[in-house]
Amino acid sequence: MDYIALGCMTGTSLDGIDCSLVKTDGATYLNDIANEFTPYSKNLRDRLSNVLVHNYLTDPSLLKSLSDEYKVAINNLINKHDEKIDVIGIHGQTVLHDPSLKLSLQLYDKSSLYNTHAPIICNFRKNDILNGGSGAPILPVYHQIISQQNNMSQSIFVNIGGVSNITLIDEGDLMAGDTSFGNAIIDDYMLKNCKLDFDLNGDMSRNGKKIDSLYNHIKNDLFFNEKLPKSLDRNYFHHYLNNLSKTFEARDIIFTLLSIIPETIKKIIPSHKNYHIVLSGGGRKNQTLVSLFKNTFSNVSLIDDFQLDGDFIESQGMGLLATRYLKKIPSTYANTTGLKKSIYLGEKC
């Protein structure tokens, strides 16, 4: 049976709300119908950023403000398309993810109503954590469907969002986990020190050079010795940028951070295998990072090369997870998050 699902995702980069309409059977294919991005207002972004930086939530009106912007984004997409929606999957805004505490918190108002009677599925990380998993990553099953649709038997999907995570697919076997920081640490550094939101196209880092002392210091973090599956909070590595030498240039700091992302993935991959590396997430737009991947691996593509819109993979994935919830099909596994048994994700709001 085919379903029309609306998926909604907001990442830790705090740029805004991604919404996607998709058609899927929940198991073998997913085709997108429409995708739309709605940026956060500056006021909301600043307030959410304050929560992430200080690790506490004291603003009682924040949830309402967030819900109001969700309503605009979701209803706009619904109103533009004459589709009978079967289910809505909403991830919510992550403000805390700490696998050591078995805690992952996404802000979302369960009482919100939209211009449809479709059931709403949310809280996608809770069941994973309650069953012994780390709560991330939760979209390897979508990457697997993409690989099947494109006849890729050995592939690694690299999602570079606030955190970098991979889905390793080898002849049907699936393994996943977070591998390093992603955009969050770079964006936060640039905002604080360069008054820029991010390294647009890799322009800042393009002529950067690796700072060996910083590179080696970060690479010695014990997280990199852990085996998959594993997961990270967006702020886990931020302390490495405290008290840096004033002689370090911003472009060199950013280049050093970017250099670590592909190297940590290379460390995980069996040396005798030639996987097709597929880059997704906002990080794929950083040309410096793409060049670093191509210098590290022999077979690298952008997810956009497969006629997919790389900006909406996660929101499409939320539609898939919501559909699998309705069909009670497992979406998370021992080799993707470390949980004790395969289960479907989400709960009805």
Side-chain angles (χ1 to χ4, degrees), residues 17-30:
I17 305 167
D18 295 327
C19 290
S20 297
L21 271 178
V22 301
K23 183 177 181 180
T24 180
D25 64 355
T28 64
Y29 85 94
L30 184 148

Side-chain angles (χ1 to χ4, degrees), residues 60-88:
S61 66
L62 180 59
L63 184 59
K64 182 181 185 306
S65 298
L66 179 66
S67 299
D68 288 344
E69 297 199 16
Y70 261 104
K71 285 182 181 179
V72 171
I74 292 174
N75 284 335
N76 278 346
L77 188 60
I78 292 172
N79 295 339
K80 288 178 181 178
H81 299 276
D82 186 21
E83 298 282 354
K84 182 182 181 301
I85 299 171
D86 297 301
V87 65
I88 298 178

